[in-house]
Amino acid sequence: MTFAAIASPLLFAAFVWWFSTGAILWLDRRPRETFGWSFAATTIIAIGALIALFVTAAQETIASAYIAFAAAIAIWGWHEMSFLMGFITGPRRQPLPAGTTGWRRFSLATATIIHHEVALALTAAAIVALTWGQPNQIGAITFLVLWALRLSAKFNLFLGAPYRAEEMLPPHLTHLKSYFRNRRMNALFPLSLAGGAALAWALGTIAYAPDVSTFTLTGFSLVLSLTVLGVIEHVFLFIPPPNALLWGWAGSKPEERNAPLG
């Protein structure tokens, strides 16, 4: 177990997370007339990624671990674009009525994203079915971990957090801001951190077990890195996130580029 064998998948996962997030933000900040072309291109990539998951499911090599991981990220990116560009969101696209609380607030908030959530669930089921019973489960595990982390982040935003990255929402999704709550802390956040840490520990135990295969080391290190980054994203809901430092290269939104200075 060399340093390169340990560090390479961790760094690769971090780079993919950083670059793919920035690329999606860049595409989402282009003029809306470009959305159809970019989403069509991403759809082709996502279909290719599903095929790659199926082809590599029976393979236990370092390359197949990287391919399965990257394929799951590509499919996840398709869902992110489908949501941020407004293609797959939910039937409700209006702000939360003032004074709405409790179950009514939750049901209205759910209606803003339910189509997106159903699409994620169906995709997760498809990936599990494509790789069922095969030795390479890295793609399926990656997608399921992303789904769990994102659900946790959404519930934390719903319950309340001080740093909600509202500036990253495109104009056609600004109504979602009204469903976020501004609170210094919520009861779910410590549980989310504990769950994320436990998951990272479990993945690390598998990845760095004695006499582990290079495939297992590589695949689970990739997912471990992604999990740690997901936990850090949770932390950035409660401390100032360095969004400009990380993704300033993704550019400003079209309306920001055309706005008068000052």
Side-chain angles (χ1 to χ4, degrees), residues 30-115:
R30 299 311 92 200
R32 291 202 67 176
E33 55 266 25
T34 67
F35 285 7
W37 290 105
S38 57
F39 187 61
T42 308
T43 299
I44 294 173
I45 294 172
I47 293 172
L50 284 170
I51 296 172
L53 283 177
F54 178 74
V55 171
T56 59
Q59 303 172 9
E60 290 184 283
T61 64
I62 294 176
S64 68
Y66 277 106
I67 292 171
F69 175 80
I73 296 295
I75 296 166
W76 184 265
W78 180 89
H79 279 284
E80 289 291 285
M81 285 185 62
S82 74
F83 181 77
L84 289 173
M85 290 183 173
F87 292 115
I88 305 176
T89 55
R92 182 174 179 81
R93 303 199 177 197
Q94 297 81 35
L96 182 71
T100 305
T101 60
W103 175 254
R104 176 65 175 167
R105 175 173 173 259
F106 177 78
S107 62
L108 292 179
T110 301
T112 65
I113 60 171
I114 189 60
H115 295 163

Side-chain angles (χ1 to χ4, degrees), residues 193-208 224 227-228 231:
L193 282 188
L199 177 59
W201 178 269
L203 292 168
T205 300
I206 296 172
Y208 307 129
L224 169 61
T227 301
V228 172
V231 173

